Amino acid sequence: MLYVAGVDVGSTQAKAIVLDERARVVGEAILDVEMNMSTAAQQVFDLVVANANLSPDDIAFTVATGYGRYRVTFGDMQVTEISCHARGATAEFPKTRTVLDIGGQDTKAIRIGDAGEVVDFAMNDKC
Amino acid sequence: MAATTNSTQGADARAVGQRLVNQWLANVNSAPERGQPVAYVFVMGNAVEILRVFGFELVFPEINSLQTGVRKAAPEYLAKAEDYGFSPDVCSYVKADVGLMLSEMAHPSGIRIPKPDLAIASSLCNVYIKWAEIWERHFGAPAFVLDIPGKRFATWKPIPGTAQYDADKRWVEGQLKDLIAQCERITGKKFDPDRLAEVEANVNEMVRLWVEILDLNRQRPAPYNSMLDGLTYIGVLNAWRGTPEGVAYMRLLRDEVAGKVARGEGRAANERFRLIFSGTPCYVNMRRLVELFETHGGVFAASDYLTYAAGGLDSSGLFYDPSRPLESLAEVTTLASQLGLSNHFFSHHTLAQQVKDYAADGIVYHGIKSCRTVATSMADNREYFTTRYGLHTLYIESDLIDPRYWSDAQIKNRVDAFFEVLEQRALLKGGE
């Protein structure tokens, strides 16, 4: 079985999930981000892997997102939360056309097209 | 007489440009001891041609201020102005200049900026006139305000020979005559129309070469980045407008850029996306901003800034007729103003043309906290291009020179997301 992980290191919380090859969620975790984003990234990853009853070596690919995505030193790819939200929302709800992400630092509004692609986005700067 | 530079023979444009800038600063610094009168002028609407006739040394307070940002010295000057009582909301250029006045004109470039004998403001920026009033109060220098009529409505076009056009031109010409009279009083010299014609001939050549340089960036890959390289070009273009040195520099620059095009040399090692930049630069972090885009293979092939801030306002394609120097100056000043102002308030027409001319994949709008006038219409403009043209656009915000408004992580996030969309679009179109 192939497993992949997504790690979202935001300004206030770090979130992670593990999916199996059928895109089923087999593990999830959420932690508050304190002073060090790299530490938070590692901790939430370790937690989600444990919650999935797996080991880190079982994870074939990790995508990092959020403001702290470049602090996920073990990540294979960094993608902004804009693209991630569009992909995730349309995967769960194919008719999604707008996503509002009300984050700890800022809010993002994302317009999604018919093919699930990001058409436009806007962000404010601070809460 | 101010010192001038040596020939450009055998030099590269960057070196010559730097030499010219250094020379200009040295000339500014020594103007009082040489007895040369000094004029403070703005980049937009400044009648530099007339001032050259009377031998004024030109000081550009906007350039003084942007240099405080480039040299990372702005916070000190801004703090002085805000401690003095200027609101954080006031244009950071103005505050940096006030900070300079409160620092006895000691500039981070190492020179002391002389006080003006004359200041020229224009109606082309709503702050210019208030800024000139600050100089009047602080230096006791006379401020001359050029009132230049703008566009009356979005689709209005100035048509030579029509009553409105002629009235606008006469209005400006009358003011230029008043300016001449004032210059004669200050300098004790008589106006020489032949000298004005000579200066205008130099400006014509510089503008002709500038238009060529702008057009060369239509090539793929773009030989220069309009929002990094282009900013240094217009610095020289403004400071040496109407001079033989300015002409020589522009010729050298044009040859160099044309050479790059002939060799297929691009600014970016891997040009993936061509972009238009709309708005003013973030001088305090321009290199970093451009790097964020170039990392993704994005190059600013064009910008509206290089039209309206390139000396004499939007003079691309407008030339003087040296056989009627004063009338022609009034004509070009009026027309350039109306075209240039349209870049602010009706910019979608100019931008649409630039998108086509430069085969742009997207537009990046840079709103600045210092100036809501510049940011006016950017939101509507974005919507226009997104819905009407299906073009991808990005809005980012910082400031001209105030580093407090630069948020690296948030700007990078927006830029990264922007390119993710461009890449996705390329993929959907069947690109690489």
Side-chain angles (χ1 to χ4, degrees):
Chain A
M1 179 69 80
L2 192 72
Y3 298 98
V4 295
V7 178
D8 177 354
V9 184
S11 56
T12 55
Q13 291 186 313
K15 291 80 70 180
I17 62 165
V18 173
L19 302 179
D20 67 15
E21 61 193 32
R22 289 167 68 180
R24 292 178 303 191
V25 177
V26 298
E28 53 189 82
I30 185 165
L31 284 176
D32 288 339
V33 171
E34 294 180 1
M35 291 301 292
N36 192 314
M37 276 183 162
S38 299
T39 304
Q42 188 66 59
Q43 285 173 343
V44 79
F45 178 76
D46 291 343
L47 187 58
V48 78
V49 163
N51 288 348
N53 291 316
L54 297 169
S55 76
D57 291 339
D58 294 323
I59 307 298
F61 199 87
T62 300
V63 173
T65 189
Y67 276 113
R69 61 186 178 278
Y70 290 104
R71 302 301 176 88
V72 181
T73 53
F74 50 87
D76 297 292
M77 179 190 269
Q78 291 81 34
V79 180
T80 66
E81 58 274 41
I82 305 294
S83 297
C84 289
H85 277 309
R87 185 69 67 86
T90 51
E92 292 294 310
F93 306 100
K95 290 187 182 167
T96 302
R97 290 296 175 267
T98 307
V99 173
L100 290 175
D101 169 18
I102 302 169
Q105 169 79 0
D106 52 29
T107 292
K108 302 156 194 72
I110 307 160
R111 198 190 298 175
I112 298 173
D114 295 341
E117 80 282 16
V118 173
V119 170
D120 197 9
F121 62 87
M123 305 181 199
N124 72 330
D125 282 333
K126 47 177 76 68
C127 174
Chain B
M1 191 73 179
T4 57
T5 61
N6 298 324
S7 130
T8 59
Q9 194 88 15
D12 67 80
R14 178 188 286 268
V16 170
Q18 190 57 59
R19 198 168 68 223
L20 281 169
V21 167
N22 291 342
Q23 190 58 65
W24 168 58
L25 290 172
N27 290 347
V28 164
N29 195 46
S30 66
E33 74 190 58
R34 287 183 288 105
Q36 188 177 5
V38 170
Y40 279 17
V41 296
F42 292 111
V43 163
M44 301 196 296
N46 50 34
V48 154
E49 292 78 357
I50 289 178
L51 300 174
R52 292 265 186 237
V53 170
F54 288 96
F56 280 91
E57 187 60 63
L58 303 179
V59 170
F60 291 84
E62 289 163 295
I63 297 181
N64 294 341
S65 292
L66 74 87
Q67 279 290 319
T68 68
V70 168
R71 292 169 192 266
K72 313 287 187 209
E76 176 199 326
Y77 293 93
L78 296 174
K80 281 190 175 170
E82 288 175 10
D83 287 346
Y84 188 75
F86 282 79
S87 161
D89 290 337
V90 168
C91 171
S92 55
Y93 268 5
V94 175
K95 286 188 297 187
D97 192 46
V98 169
L100 188 58
M101 288 178 219
L102 295 170
S103 306
E104 296 177 5
M105 305 308 289
H107 191 261
S109 61
I111 68 167
R112 202 166 287 275
I113 310 287
K115 70 180 202 74
D117 296 289
L118 174 67
I120 314 277
S122 73
S123 52
L124 299 175
C125 160
N126 56 316
V127 160
Y128 281 171
I129 295 169
K130 305 307 291 180
W131 196 348
E133 288 177 2
I134 295 172
W135 297 330
E136 275 188 324
R137 285 197 295 273
H138 187 79
F139 296 115
F144 187 94
V145 179
L146 263 175
D147 177 49
I148 309 177
K151 284 179 87 156
R152 270 55 171 200
F153 48 87
T155 54
W156 181 73
K157 287 185 191 329
I159 302 170
T162 58
Q164 185 67 71
Y165 178 90
D166 288 343
D168 287 352
K169 190 185 73 171
R170 279 198 309 274
W171 174 244
V172 173
E173 192 175 345
Q175 293 174 73
L176 293 177
K177 286 177 178 168
D178 290 343
L179 174 61
I180 287 170
Q182 188 147 12
C183 290
E184 287 180 334
R185 277 194 298 276
I186 292 171
T187 63
K189 292 181 184 171
K190 291 300 292 172
F191 174 62
D192 179 356
D194 291 336
R195 176 75 183 118
L196 180 61
E198 195 182 297
V199 171
E200 287 180 353
N202 287 334
V203 172
N204 281 351
E205 184 62 4
M206 288 177 79
V207 169
R208 188 188 68 73
L209 291 160
W210 180 236
V211 171
E212 269 194 60
I213 290 165
L214 290 174
D215 284 351
L216 280 166
N217 234 26
R218 297 186 191 197
Q219 303 302 316
R220 195 186 285 265
Y224 62 88
N225 191 310
S226 76
M227 286 315 283
L228 197 60
D229 309 303
L231 301 182
T232 59
Y233 304 162
I234 63 172
V236 182
L237 190 58
N238 281 317
W240 291 88
R241 182 178 171 84
T243 65
E245 293 87 348
V247 173
Y249 168 74
M250 294 301 291
R251 208 165 268 146
L252 178 68
L253 180 62
R254 187 277 316 270
D255 290 348
E256 212 169 82
V257 173
K260 282 186 170 179
V261 169
R263 294 187 300 271
E265 277 173 34
R267 155 75 199 191
N270 172 28
E271 182 181 290
R272 288 272 297 140
F273 300 105
R274 296 167 63 81
L275 306 170
I276 310 282
F277 189 98
S278 179
T280 63
C282 167
Y283 280 106
V284 69
N285 274 313
M286 204 61 215
R287 196 165 290 279
R288 168 64 177 157
L289 183 60
V290 164
E291 178 189 280
L292 289 174
F293 285 87
E294 288 190 342
T295 300
H296 293 282
V299 175
F300 292 116
S303 68
D304 47 21
Y305 191 69
L306 289 197
T307 58
Y308 63 75
L313 207 63
D314 193 319
S315 55
S316 53
L318 293 174
F319 298 99
Y320 296 118
D321 178 356
S323 69
R324 348 169 253 121
L326 190 60
E327 190 188 342
S328 164
L329 180 62
E331 237 166 22
V332 169
T333 301
T334 310
L335 275 173
S337 139
Q338 286 162 357
L339 287 170
L341 277 176
S342 77
N343 276 325
H344 284 315
F345 299 111
F346 310 115
S347 52
H348 55 295
H349 297 302
T350 307
L351 283 172
Q353 191 61 48
Q354 281 189 320
V355 166
K356 191 172 149 206
D357 290 345
Y358 292 88
D361 301 295
I363 303 176
V364 176
Y365 295 90
H366 179 235
I368 52 173
K369 297 281 177 110
S370 267
C371 181
R372 286 323 188 193
T373 308
V374 159
T376 297
S377 85
M378 282 185 178
D380 292 334
N381 210 290
R382 265 195 85 214
E383 187 67 18
Y384 175 84
F385 281 99
T386 304
T387 53
R388 172 87 64 102
Y389 286 81
L391 195 69
H392 192 42
T393 63
L394 174 69
Y395 180 80
I396 52 173
E397 194 167 55
S398 69
D399 190 60
L400 289 162
I401 58 170
D402 193 336
R404 293 173 294 186
Y405 293 122
W406 174 268
S407 173
D408 199 271
Q410 286 173 314
I411 288 174
K412 179 169 169 49
N413 212 28
R414 286 160 168 83
V415 173
D416 285 351
F418 175 69
F419 281 100
E420 283 169 6
V421 173
L422 284 177
E423 291 287 0
Q424 189 174 38
R425 285 183 174 212
L427 205 64
L428 288 171
K429 264 190 201 168
E432 303 177 12

